[in-house]
Amino acid sequence: MNPTTLARLLGEWNPGASPAYRELADVVRLLVLDGRVPLDVALPSERALAATLGLSRTTVTAAYTLLRDQGFLSSGQGSRGRTCIPHRGRRGAQPGTPELSGAPGLAVPDGLLDLAYASLPASGEVVHRAFAAALTELPALLPGFGYDALGVGPLREAIAARYTAAGVPTTAGQILVTSGAQHALNIILRTLAGRSARVLVEHPSYPNALDAMRSAGCRPVPVAMPPAALDGGAGWDTDALETALKQQRPAMAYVVPDFHNPTGRLMPDSQRRQLVRAAAASGTVLVVDETLRELNLDGAPSTPLAAFSPAVVSIGSLSKSHWAGLRTGWIRAGEPLIQRFAAARTTMDLGGPIVEQLAAAHLVNALTEPLPARLAALRANRDTLLMLIAEHLPTWQTERPDGGLSVWSRLPVPLSTAMTVIAPDFGIRLAAGPRFGLGGAFEHYLRVPFTLPPAQLETAVLALRSAQDRLEASPQLRRDLTSPPAVAIA
Ligand SMILES: Cc1ncc(COP(=O)(O)O)c(C=O)c1O
């Protein structure tokens, strides 16, 4: 990793409080835990980083030494240290654990329970069968060039048929296949929201979407989600959304109405209608991320936002219904916009892999097949997690999610980042609350996924309790760990 890249990730970090080397090590450690600095990359040389950050070389050397001591930097002889996560070996991964739940480039290390990424292992047999069928279809496509910026016909037709069945008449010409929802969002941002463009976002929101907006140079306009209502049904603050749309006239609004990440809320139809109307009035393109739409734990009915207006742009993905490793997602929009997206896409890639798309067509056609078992397990996990938190972390306030994969929990004190930093000492990996917001917000919150089986959820909750106890017992540790990461989010 070059020093400029690391300096950018360090954001507005400013060595103010002493000792600076400890702050630097803490921020780098958080970046590794968050997955923003991948594992097994060489950090910049001490001299180069010191020059880029305007620090003394001694400070950087001391920070690297601390990272080595803590197990976050390997100590290769004669070579630069590479990032790693300490292997504790206390809680070995068990068969069936979601080892696949790590972020790209961030494998779950042995012995750490991963609560940072809300994702599930593949619905194995279904996926395998789809690939077997795809291989038999492949020969017919081999004479072609293999480049297709829009996606293969059978997959686009299958996705269009799903929308039509859900009450949103759609043709294959309205679908662009992408390498996952994140890729879809990047294509949309590049097309609709250039540098300095305002993009309305829910606050909190999905961290990688916020990162995509930042890296596209957009100006996010956060609109707070209302606090959890004790009796459920907190929904969205559509009046605040409407006001922000009217006053700021953002080019684009990015929302996750179907099991919002991280709160797990489902937007009621009445609010959907109001939002679509408000976006139309302000000339804002409403971009709806439906990645989690199939994870409807309570079976509540909802109408896809695109049913309310042909101007809505929808993003979908197989990552949560089947497997993130498929890297298959899509955009649904009007045909002229799809053509613009396809043109923008070719600056990033020239199309998706064919076999994956053929397999994905089978999965989309039989979308509901793996879902009942998946939803039953998730329902049980959700209930177990809520119960465990109530029992072992009684000062936390939780919100029962309507769907999705995680519980957004409010901590009694703003220690989310500090918990994240010390979490590996207790055998877990966390994503700090501020990752879900802007400007260091959400230090009071942690997203806790319920993707692990109940026995491991218990281990994880006990670990959270131990981490909290350690912080509560040590005001000095709390102070040391609270300040730097809040600015590392920038
Ligand atoms: C709301 C939301 N959008 C997008 C993604 C990323 O999806 P994909 O794996 O299809 O890129 C996720 C993954 O967690 C998500 O929760």
Side-chain angles (χ1 to χ4, degrees):
M1 171 170 285
N2 69 44
T4 319
T5 305
L6 183 56
R8 186 170 46 74
L9 289 167
L10 289 168
E12 290 163 9
W13 174 69
N14 236 325
S18 57
Y21 80 89
R22 180 175 281 281
E23 283 192 19
L24 177 60
D26 283 344
V27 183
V28 172
R29 182 155 63 140
L30 188 74
L31 291 169
V32 171
L33 288 166
D34 266 352
R36 282 176 289 169
V37 169
L39 290 183
D40 202 28
V41 299
L43 289 185
S45 71
E46 291 160 7
R47 192 200 326 226
L49 187 61
T52 305
L53 294 177
L55 295 173
S56 75
R57 188 160 167 193
T58 321
T59 300
V60 178
T61 304
Y64 280 10
T65 304
L66 185 56
L67 285 166
R68 268 195 195 93
D69 291 348
Q70 293 169 334
F72 286 86
L73 205 55
S74 65
S75 40
Q77 277 275 314
S79 63
R80 284 192 278 148
R82 303 181 81 84
T83 52
C84 52
I85 284 188
H87 286 233
R88 309 208 39 94
R90 279 192 295 172
R91 302 178 173 90
Q94 290 160 23
T97 58
E99 288 149 309
L100 302 167
S101 67
L106 188 58
V108 180
D110 287 348
L112 282 189
L113 290 180
D114 194 325
L115 298 179
Y117 289 90
S119 211
L120 288 166
S123 334
E125 199 204 321
V126 181
V127 172
H128 196 266
R129 237 187 298 128
F131 271 87
L135 278 179
T136 66
E137 292 158 7
L138 182 64
L141 295 177
L142 290 177
F145 289 129
Y147 287 121
D148 193 339
L150 288 167
V152 302
L155 178 55
R156 295 166 72 210
E157 278 152 27
I159 295 165
R162 289 292 306 175
Y163 278 104
T164 303
V168 190
T170 303
T171 62
Q174 289 177 265
I175 302 294
L176 171 76
V177 177
T178 63
S179 301
Q182 183 69 10
H183 181 214
L185 177 61
N186 275 301
I187 293 170
I188 294 169
L189 284 169
R190 189 166 290 201
T191 313
L192 299 178
R195 210 147 261 288
S196 303
R198 291 196 180 94
V199 178
L200 181 144
V201 288
E202 298 140 333
H203 203 220
S205 185
Y206 175 55
N208 292 327
L210 297 176
D211 285 348
M213 289 166 205
R214 282 189 200 99
S215 87
C218 304
R219 281 187 285 161
V221 176
V223 177
M225 297 284 286
L230 288 177
D231 55 353
W236 275 246
D237 186 343
T238 28
D239 290 341
L241 286 168
E242 203 168 340
T243 305
L245 286 166
K246 203 186 236 164
Q247 292 179 349
Q248 308 256 5
R249 298 199 168 268
M252 178 181 143
Y254 169 82
V255 292
V256 186
D258 297 278
F259 317 116
H260 172 255
N261 191 350
T263 63
R265 291 181 197 173
L266 178 66
M267 186 185 278
D269 274 4
S270 57
Q271 296 197 334
R272 291 175 189 239
R273 208 168 284 116
Q274 191 183 347
L275 177 59
V276 168
R277 239 186 275 127
S282 63
T284 300
V285 181
L286 192 52
V287 176
V288 181
D289 186 339
E290 297 179 334
T291 297
L292 295 147
R293 184 168 164 82
E294 303 301 331
L295 301 184
N296 185 350
L297 296 183
D298 296 329
S302 76
T303 310
L305 257 164
F308 296 99
S309 163
V312 166
V313 175
S314 312
I315 294 174
S317 170
L318 289 182
S319 286
K320 306 299 168 179
S321 58
H322 289 80
W323 189 35
L326 294 164
R327 302 313 308 138
T328 301
W330 57 85
I331 305 173
R332 180 205 179 273
E335 278 196 45
L337 208 41
I338 287 291
Q339 292 300 331
R340 285 178 62 200
F341 291 147
R345 180 222 186 111
T346 54
T347 63
M348 307 178 205
D349 68 357
L350 301 178
I354 300 295
V355 181
E356 273 74 1
Q357 292 184 67
L358 293 174
H362 289 279
L363 296 172
V364 173
N365 280 326
L367 193 59
T368 46
E369 196 184 326
L371 282 175
R374 185 164 276 226
L375 293 180
L378 284 173
R379 252 179 244 121
N381 289 2
R382 172 185 62 181
D383 295 347
T384 303
L385 178 60
L386 289 170
M387 199 189 66
L388 286 166
I389 291 177
E391 185 182 342
H392 299 292
L393 295 157
T395 54
W396 288 27
Q397 290 167 24
T398 53
E399 174 172 354
R400 189 173 195 275
D402 300 310
L405 296 165
S406 55
V407 170
W408 186 235
S409 311
R410 185 177 163 84
L411 317 183
V413 276
L415 286 179
S416 185
T417 299
M419 293 267 282
T420 304
V421 172
I422 65 168
D425 293 348
F426 298 89
I428 53 177
R429 204 170 77 83
L430 300 174
R435 288 286 287 128
F436 297 81
L438 301 160
F442 304 118
E443 262 305 343
H444 257 291
Y445 287 85
L446 257 183
R447 185 189 71 168
V448 187
F450 43 85
T451 45
L452 297 170
Q456 290 186 8
L457 282 177
E458 180 165 20
T459 308
V461 169
L462 291 173
L464 285 167
R465 173 60 194 257
S466 304
Q468 179 174 278
D469 286 350
R470 183 199 282 180
L471 288 172
E472 278 177 358
S474 171
Q476 181 58 44
L477 184 62
R478 245 174 15 226
R479 265 195 305 279
D480 285 352
L481 295 180
T482 305
S483 50
V487 291
I489 304 306

